[in-house]
Amino acid sequence: MSQKSGRIVAVNGNMVSIGFQGNVAMNEVAYVLSNGKRLKSEIIRVKGSEAQAQVYEITKGIRIGDEVEFSDEMLSVELGPGLLSQIYDGLQNPLPEIAQQKGFFLESGVYLKALSRTKQWNFSPLAKPGDTLKRGNFIGSVPELNFTHKIMLPFDFFGDWKLLDIVPAGEYCIEDVIAHVQDQRGAKRDVKMMFSWPVKRAVDCYVERLKPEQPMVTKTRIIDTFFPVAKGGTYCIPGPFGAGKTVLQQVTSRNADVDIVILAACGERAGEVVETLKEFPEISDPRTGRSLMERTIIICNTSSMPVASREASVYTAVTMAEYYRQMGLDVLLLADSTSRWAQAMREMSGRLEEIPGEEAFPAYLESVIAAFYERAGNVRLSDGSCGSVTIGGTVSPAGGNFEEPVTQATLKVVGAFHGLSRERSDARKYPAIHPLDSWSKYPGIMPKEVVAYAHTFLERSSEVEAMMKVVGEEGTSLDDYILYLKGEFLDAVYLQQNSFDPVDASVSPERQKFMFHLVLGILGAELGLKNKDDARAWFYELRQAFLDLNGSAESSELYQSSLNTIRGKLAALNPRYGSEAKKMLLKLE
Amino acid sequence: MNKLYSHIESIVGNVISVRADQVAYGELAEVTSRYGVSLAETIRLEKDLVYLQVFAGSRGISTGDEVRFLGHPMQVSFSDNLLGRIFDGAGSPRDGGPSLTDNLIAIGGPSVNPFKRIIPREMIRTGIPMIDLFNTLVKSQKLPIFSVSGEPYNQLLARIAMQAEVDLIILGGMGLKYDDYLFFKDSLEEGGSLAKTIMFVHTAADPVVECLQVPDLALAVAERFALKGRNVLVLLTDMTNFADALKEISITQEQVPSNRGYPGDLYSQLASRYEKAVDFDNAGSITTLAVTTMPGDDVTHPIPDNTGYITEGQFYLHGGRIEPFGSLSRLKQLVNGKTREDHRAIMDGMIKLFASYRDTLEKKSMGFQMSAWDKKLLQYGELFESTMMDLSVNSSLEKALDEGWGILASCFEPRETGLRSELIQKFWPKAAGQAETTAAVAAKE
Ligand SMILES: Nc1ncnc2c1ncn2[C@@H]1O[C@H](COP(=O)(O)OP(=O)(O)O)[C@@H](O)[C@H]1O
Ligand SMILES: [Mg+2]
């Protein structure tokens, strides 16, 4: 325990002021001793002999004069084997254990160890005595569920260390000393399988950062084909409430082609997390055949949980993501919603009486958001292997208006934008990603030119639609009308996807390529349709067959018969292809 | 304890300050002025200054009035004696009955551990097609009715309360008009539900600070009953008054507003109340229906906007009907896969077509020629509005689904509906549909 001491001198909402003696560090953790409880807090301002702290608990019951205990440590998380499939709150308290001890409610001042101290892990050494090690270097490994969990030299062991000795292969607990190391000046340190790291500092034990170039397949057509996300990249999903942000993230968390998924339920509904944490153990991961929960970590700080730990929760989540990235794994972090995190900052900034920026958000909002997304990345590690952290955050703009500070600050730093539109979700066109407003800077699973070609149909179709609103259907030429129908068709059978249909919910890249080729064969064709009524009827029948196709497994009868219907209908019109269409179709083969 | 202080340092808005020590944040006090005794809650501590929000308001309070701290935060009595009783926002009887002091419990308690929650599984049948078929209500859901003043939202609330199968109804009235208070009382009485109802009613004439206590009182009591195995329906009307009370108080407190004068923590304040809705494993549940009147009928106004981000959907009541657009039950997919196999398809399919109908209406209003397809859509839309959207209809989900197929068949060819072939084969009304379509066309010509 440190020499310094402090006492409460003011309480205002979840912020307390502490009069202290001794040296206090910014972001240091302090505990308010109140009514026999220890309430965790973080120092967020120091001025003279007074410090302000945000309390990670309800502050009811705190009195002037209550004692404050300083920890000398910044807010940190425990890193080591045993994180996978856990459910933590924003401060890394294991919620299942808390439930076991305390029942239905989250009482304040209850903090449990994030990692089990008694569980034994089967350790195999990788490093040998005499080896020179840097922080992050692998010294051994343990099997953790389906992964080889690398045991690393803790990230705060700066400099070069010589391995003095290491335990032989065997069963150890995370607090057992497994090795001793010595630095150049002769200082010795113990190495354990577990260590901690301050959540607000990015983990930087890598050789270099690489460009995110490999697509991260989500099995959602509109994303993989039109607005792809790359491993190590960043993307955001802004949208008004009810537009489908959470469902889209849930679907992605199931299907994403990554090793590990970390879900940060940040300040939104508890019920939505419950669906995930009850269902994931029952769903098997098609990649491994094991339960999805085994590759998942849930950080759950929902809207009615203390707002200060909501602020911490996204950092807790990203630190764990970086930890697994250091083992050469691909990690996806999904945060729902980054706006609630920003609002938590706003609440605290207001209590600190800082000069407010736009919509009362603090002036540093943009730089904080940028720094958070910067923690994503594709990195090369010292052993030559690569790992990545991909970050996808939802944004909940006030009034659904993207011209607000959080959306704007986020758009400046992400590599892909999946903007959800109220119009599309009202019309039940899910996922409601707006195909004309959204964009991505990453390469996807299809050739860029072909995607751009298909996209022109959406653009022109929407132009014709806008024009039809002025001149009416009768004032629209047959060619324009067919263009309009083609865009609508592409939207209905390819962009839209039913997340609740067992087959349609996740579409493999191979099937996407096949379908996209089939759809292009219709978009690119000159169809001998005689009049608008015929054209509409033809497209509707075709749409019907495509929807049947989308909902049926490749081995099913319906799949074959729908495919035959589609091919038959197309052949009946004697389609002709121009040179551009031919070129595009060839590229897909 | 229970020290008495007889000098008030400052009076700003409804907040007074006194110099006192050993006061806990959130502690309650009694302020005695010549107009009577009022409760007050500690909302800020600053060295030896204690800031108190006076429930009855500060009007008439003098610097020489007495403040006595009670040594505990806001509490409410919890027992079966509450049943059938009516209280105000300070927790005092409004019905002339005795005040209750047994088994006092704290309000605004901690939130439920998400790990202890279960996935909602049970549909609450209301007999209203726009709800049961299109936006199914689910036990433990929190759902507001978005509306504007003048709409029959309180009637809708009362009707759902009466038709839903619940053990207990707790009404939290905020800024309620006296007439509306009487309306609820009478409806529940006529429906025979009064004996299983508890009311916490703050009327428009009561002090604004008391408005803030109502949801916490109602929900604290609801939570205890739910833990005892009861299925509780909490009705909160009107949450806009609650939010406006928050705004009023935060502005007099000189807090920096975030959006149109509302405090930056509006979202968290609303969420901590709405998130009390819960289904306890092996015990009871809380389902919350609230009214949110939208200032200027604007859904992007901070109150409905923040609410929509918190609740599990919303019913958008407009022109006396629940609008298909803007209305949403986020929990519907948890239950509508187990009702009837065509439920989801009809729900989505009919709404998609209704969206096209609205587009056609727009075209029509601009004087465009109506194509054959447009005419079909117009016929469909009118039928949909007059049958499905009629709030006075009371019919089972299954009947409403059959009706849906009937409407589709009388307006469209199967392939025009965008429904899967297997469902069409099973549910499309045979022959009748063909005949009706011809009849409808004939009627048009
Ligand atoms: N892909 C989808 N397919 C079908 N329904 C969807 C889809 N996405 C969203 N929905 C519907 O919309 C509702 C709201 O979606 P949600 O993701 O919770 O919205 P948000 O997080 O943007 O507020 C869901 O409960 C569901 O009914
Ligand atoms: Mg959401």
Side-chain angles (χ1 to χ4, degrees):
Chain A
M1 204 61 13
S2 61
Q3 294 305 308
K4 51 197 160 183
S5 64
R7 290 198 178 273
I8 296 291
V9 295
V11 187
N12 178 15
N14 60 344
M15 188 184 82
V16 295
S17 300
I18 305 164
F20 67 90
Q21 277 155 4
N23 294 321
V24 165
M26 186 68 169
N27 300 109
E28 177 171 352
V29 170
Y31 292 90
V32 181
L33 308 186
S34 170
N35 302 311
K37 287 183 177 171
R38 294 172 80 231
L39 308 177
K40 199 168 183 170
S41 73
E42 178 189 357
I43 305 295
I44 51 171
R45 181 154 78 189
V46 185
K47 218 175 184 178
S49 61
E50 238 181 60
Q52 269 79 43
Q54 55 174 347
V55 184
Y56 295 120
E57 304 284 359
I58 299 174
T59 47
K60 263 189 195 167
I62 297 183
R63 291 165 208 267
I64 300 296
D66 279 352
E67 200 180 319
V68 177
E69 211 176 84
F70 292 90
S71 72
D72 261 341
E73 271 164 23
M74 295 217 285
L75 183 70
S76 304
V77 287
E78 292 185 349
L79 300 171
L83 292 171
L84 288 178
S85 81
Q86 289 283 6
I87 300 145
Y88 293 118
D89 75 1
L91 303 177
Q92 211 194 10
N93 283 299
L95 290 172
E97 278 81 4
I98 290 188
Q100 210 174 31
Q101 290 195 9
K102 300 284 162 183
F104 281 120
F105 296 96
L106 290 169
E107 284 170 34
S108 55
V110 180
Y111 310 111
L112 301 180
K113 300 268 188 255
L115 294 171
S116 162
R117 299 301 196 263
T118 51
K119 186 174 162 60
Q120 300 227 314
W121 298 90
N122 191 354
F123 177 78
S124 318
L126 283 173
K128 297 177 303 297
D131 284 358
T132 303
L133 298 170
K134 286 189 190 324
R135 60 203 196 101
N137 284 169
F138 304 149
I139 54 182
S141 73
V142 300
E144 180 183 15
L145 300 170
N146 204 36
F147 295 90
T148 303
H149 184 120
K150 299 279 175 24
I151 302 300
M152 295 174 268
L153 190 67
F155 301 158
D156 59 354
F157 280 41
F158 292 91
D160 289 333
W161 297 81
K162 198 167 87 176
L163 186 66
L164 297 176
D165 54 64
I166 185 164
V167 294
E171 302 275 323
Y172 301 94
C173 299
I174 54 169
E175 281 190 320
D176 293 341
V177 175
I178 49 156
H180 293 95
V181 292
Q182 188 174 37
D183 72 3
Q184 279 150 336
R185 274 165 295 153
K188 286 184 194 168
R189 283 182 81 169
D190 295 346
V191 180
K192 299 171 181 173
M193 285 198 267
M194 183 208 99
F195 59 93
S196 53
W197 180 258
V199 294
K200 287 182 184 167
R201 291 193 55 168
V203 176
D204 54 355
C205 316
Y206 48 78
V207 178
E208 61 171 336
R209 280 181 70 154
L210 308 167
K211 230 167 130 182
E213 271 176 330
Q214 204 196 342
M216 183 195 74
V217 171
T218 64
K219 296 193 177 169
T220 296
R221 285 187 292 257
I222 185 169
I223 297 178
D224 295 342
T225 303
F226 283 90
F227 309 110
V229 178
K231 285 182 181 164
T234 53
Y235 69 109
C236 69
I237 310 174
F241 61 81
K245 300 180 291 296
T246 304
V247 171
L248 193 55
Q249 281 208 336
Q250 281 172 343
V251 174
T252 306
S253 68
R254 288 175 188 210
N255 300 324
D257 175 27
V258 290
D259 299 307
I260 288 167
V261 176
I262 299 183
L263 298 171
C266 174
E268 301 248 325
R269 304 174 187 84
E272 294 170 342
V273 198
V274 177
E275 282 177 42
T276 304
L277 61 90
K278 303 277 165 169
E279 281 169 1
F280 269 31
E282 314 294 322
I283 304 172
S284 88
D285 179 357
R287 290 158 36 106
T288 59
R290 309 183 53 139
S291 117
L292 260 187
M293 202 61 206
E294 292 194 3
R295 70 159 197 176
T296 310
I297 305 172
I298 300 177
I299 311 297
C300 170
N301 213 99
T302 52
S303 60
S304 62
M305 289 162 75
V307 88
S309 38
R310 184 200 298 169
E311 193 261 340
S313 67
V314 299
Y315 294 106
T316 297
V318 76
T319 308
M320 290 184 201
E322 288 170 331
Y323 177 66
Y324 280 98
R325 175 201 69 195
Q326 289 302 121
M327 299 174 202
L329 298 172
D330 291 321
V331 188
L332 170 64
L333 165 61
L334 295 170
D336 187 10
S337 154
T338 60
S339 295
R340 305 303 161 217
W341 161 57
Q343 288 178 346
M345 282 191 266
R346 174 168 74 184
E347 283 185 32
M348 204 40 65
S349 164
R351 296 248 152 72
L352 286 171
E353 296 177 355
E354 293 173 338
I355 296 172
E358 214 182 325
E359 289 184 22
F361 282 106
Y364 45 80
L365 177 76
E366 269 196 21
S367 58
V368 173
I369 289 179
F372 171 68
Y373 280 102
E374 266 303 302
R375 293 178 73 167
N378 187 10
V379 303
R380 200 161 57 79
L381 304 169
S382 57
D383 72 337
S385 63
C386 292
S388 66
V389 171
T390 310
I391 301 183
T394 66
V395 186
S396 318
N401 177 5
F402 292 176
E403 301 299 316
E404 56 87 47
V406 183
T407 315
Q408 288 304 315
T410 307
L411 280 179
K412 279 191 193 165
V413 295
V414 293
F417 161 56
H418 300 161
L420 303 192
S421 102
R422 162 72 68 223
E423 230 183 333
R424 287 180 73 81
S425 68
D426 271 350
R428 306 291 193 266
K429 293 180 179 172
Y430 295 118
I433 297 176
H434 199 289
L436 298 180
D437 298 344
S438 302
W439 47 259
S440 165
K441 295 178 188 163
Y442 300 119
I445 59 169
M446 311 275 179
K448 253 199 161 108
E449 317 84 80
V450 188
V451 174
Y453 174 72
H455 201 262
T456 57
F457 284 92
L458 295 169
E459 292 156 28
R460 283 151 72 196
S461 168
S462 109
E463 279 163 25
V464 175
E465 190 185 5
M467 196 179 66
M468 271 202 298
K469 289 211 170 113
V470 184
V471 300
E473 212 174 286
E474 65 272 26
T476 307
S477 71
L478 179 59
D479 282 351
D480 275 354
Y481 191 69
I482 289 177
L483 249 182
Y484 160 71
L485 288 174
K486 280 180 174 174
E488 291 281 285
F489 166 76
L490 171 60
D491 185 354
V493 308
Y494 201 85
L495 301 188
Q496 295 173 41
Q497 190 171 342
N498 187 345
S499 311
F500 301 111
D501 180 283
V503 176
D504 204 24
S506 65
V507 184
S508 69
E510 295 68 41
R511 188 162 168 167
Q512 287 189 42
K513 283 179 189 149
F514 176 77
M515 291 296 296
F516 198 49
H517 187 264
L518 204 59
V519 168
L520 271 188
I522 287 150
L523 297 182
E526 288 165 35
L527 303 160
L529 290 158
K530 302 263 166 15
N531 57 51
K532 289 177 198 160
D533 281 341
D534 279 2
R536 195 183 48 241
W538 188 82
F539 270 102
Y540 281 6
E541 281 166 27
L542 200 68
R543 181 182 71 182
Q544 183 74 54
F546 262 93
L547 292 179
D548 288 341
L549 193 68
N550 280 342
S552 49
E554 274 142 299
S555 55
S556 68
E557 239 171 74
L558 183 61
Y559 183 86
Q560 260 321 311
S561 67
S562 310
L563 204 53
N564 292 342
T565 311
I566 292 165
R567 290 187 168 138
K569 284 202 138 309
L570 188 60
L573 284 184
N574 262 328
R576 282 172 298 117
Y577 295 93
S579 61
E580 195 185 11
K582 272 190 197 146
K583 198 175 86 194
M584 294 299 163
L585 283 166
L586 262 179
K587 275 193 195 253
L588 271 189
E589 264 149 33
Chain B
M1 279 312 205
N2 288 8
K3 260 198 250 169
L4 204 66
Y5 296 88
S6 57
H7 181 68
I8 293 173
E9 298 282 331
S10 69
I11 308 170
V12 179
N14 293 320
V15 177
I16 62 170
S17 68
V18 294
R19 288 194 189 278
D21 55 356
Q22 280 309 302
V23 174
Y25 189 68
E27 185 171 335
L28 226 50
E30 273 179 5
V31 181
T32 310
S33 72
R34 63 184 147 130
Y35 299 101
V37 181
S38 167
L39 290 176
E41 188 178 19
T42 306
I43 56 161
R44 184 168 185 166
L45 298 172
E46 179 87 59
K47 307 242 156 66
D48 62 342
L49 271 181
V50 178
Y51 292 86
L52 293 150
Q53 188 155 275
V54 184
F55 284 17
S58 58
R59 213 158 289 164
I61 289 191
S62 119
T63 51
D65 284 345
E66 277 181 358
V67 178
R68 190 168 65 89
F69 287 92
L70 301 179
H72 61 76
M74 182 71 178
Q75 294 172 323
V76 62
S77 158
F78 165 73
S79 72
D80 279 346
N81 296 336
L82 289 170
L83 293 169
R85 296 291 311 273
I86 305 172
F87 304 90
D88 65 14
S92 312
R94 184 184 270 290
D95 54 4
S99 50
L100 300 177
T101 50
D102 52 327
N103 194 25
L104 291 168
I105 58 166
I107 68 168
S111 61
V112 171
N113 186 334
F115 187 76
K116 289 294 274 184
R117 288 178 180 261
I118 55 175
I119 301 181
R121 289 281 172 222
E122 270 178 64
M123 169 180 177
I124 296 182
R125 285 178 181 257
T126 67
I128 302 169
M130 279 316 289
I131 296 179
D132 293 359
L133 203 170
F134 294 99
N135 291 295
T136 320
L137 182 65
V138 178
K139 193 168 101 183
S140 86
Q141 191 161 16
K142 41 188 181 287
L143 204 89
I145 297 168
F146 282 181
S147 197
V148 288
S149 32
E151 293 282 347
Y153 44 82
N154 282 334
Q155 281 76 358
L156 180 60
L157 213 55
R159 180 171 161 207
I160 297 173
M162 241 97 78
Q163 277 173 221
E165 285 187 353
V166 291
D167 304 325
L168 206 74
I169 299 166
I170 300 183
L171 175 77
M174 288 149 284
L176 208 57
K177 285 201 221 80
Y178 213 83
D179 293 354
D180 290 334
Y181 159 53
L182 293 177
F183 161 78
F184 275 111
K185 218 174 115 187
D186 293 347
S187 317
L188 291 165
E189 197 151 27
E190 277 163 35
S193 302
L194 207 53
K196 62 166 187 180
T197 302
I198 305 163
M199 296 194 211
F200 293 93
V201 174
H202 164 269
T203 70
D206 299 332
V208 63
V209 181
E210 288 184 6
C211 177
L212 291 181
Q213 309 296 329
V214 167
D216 289 342
L217 289 168
L219 290 162
V221 168
E223 197 163 78
R224 289 303 179 105
F225 277 111
L227 285 169
K228 292 202 152 191
R230 312 278 189 95
N231 290 309
V232 187
L233 177 65
V234 175
L235 309 174
L236 299 173
T237 175
D238 170 352
M239 284 300 277
T240 298
N241 292 330
F242 171 78
D244 281 335
L246 278 176
K247 167 174 151 178
E248 187 179 324
I249 283 157
S250 78
I251 285 182
T252 46
Q253 288 258 223
E254 295 178 359
Q255 281 178 25
V256 183
S258 67
N259 206 335
R260 294 203 228 177
Y262 291 90
D265 66 353
L266 178 63
Y267 174 85
S268 302
Q269 293 283 3
L270 291 171
S272 66
R273 275 82 190 185
Y274 280 116
E275 283 278 320
K276 289 276 176 200
V278 64
D279 196 346
F280 288 116
D281 209 357
N282 293 320
S285 66
I286 301 178
T287 308
T288 301
L289 281 176
V291 167
T292 298
T293 49
M294 300 183 286
D297 201 4
D298 175 12
V299 73
T300 69
H301 181 280
I303 301 173
D305 187 50
N306 278 290
T307 304
Y309 276 118
I310 294 162
T311 53
E312 289 153 338
Q314 65 280 334
F315 296 150
Y316 182 28
L317 184 67
H318 187 81
R321 299 193 289 215
I322 296 178
E323 270 287 313
F325 302 139
S327 295
L328 169 73
S329 162
R330 291 166 183 268
L331 302 189
K332 60 179 185 276
Q333 60 264 23
L334 298 177
V335 296
N336 63 14
K338 297 175 291 197
T339 47
R340 210 170 86 175
E341 63 189 299
D342 56 333
H343 187 168
R344 287 181 177 173
I346 285 288
M347 169 183 88
D348 284 334
M350 289 194 87
I351 297 294
K352 277 189 190 169
L353 286 165
F354 191 75
S356 306
Y357 155 71
R358 285 276 165 93
D359 288 345
T360 296
L361 264 192
E362 199 180 314
K363 278 198 277 182
K364 191 176 172 212
S365 71
M366 291 168 78
F368 292 133
Q369 198 180 320
M370 294 284 97
S371 67
W373 173 241
D374 287 326
K375 286 181 189 153
K376 286 184 176 190
L377 285 172
L378 287 176
Q379 187 200 351
Y380 167 75
E382 280 152 24
L383 268 175
F384 187 92
E385 285 179 342
S386 63
T387 52
M388 290 294 180
M389 287 171 65
D390 185 354
L391 267 191
S392 66
V393 171
N394 187 353
S395 85
S396 73
L397 168 71
E398 291 71 16
K399 251 180 66 193
L401 283 170
D402 292 341
E403 180 115 41
W405 284 105
I407 294 173
L408 290 173
S410 68
C411 303
F412 302 111
E413 300 293 325
R415 62 172 151 73
E416 292 171 328
T417 60
L419 294 167
R420 289 245 182 95
S421 304
E422 49 191 276
L423 287 176
I424 288 177
Q425 262 158 31
K426 183 155 180 196
F427 290 102
W428 194 265
K430 306 271 148 30
Q434 209 48 43
E436 261 182 60
T437 319
T438 339
V441 172
K444 288 250 150 107
E445 280 163 5

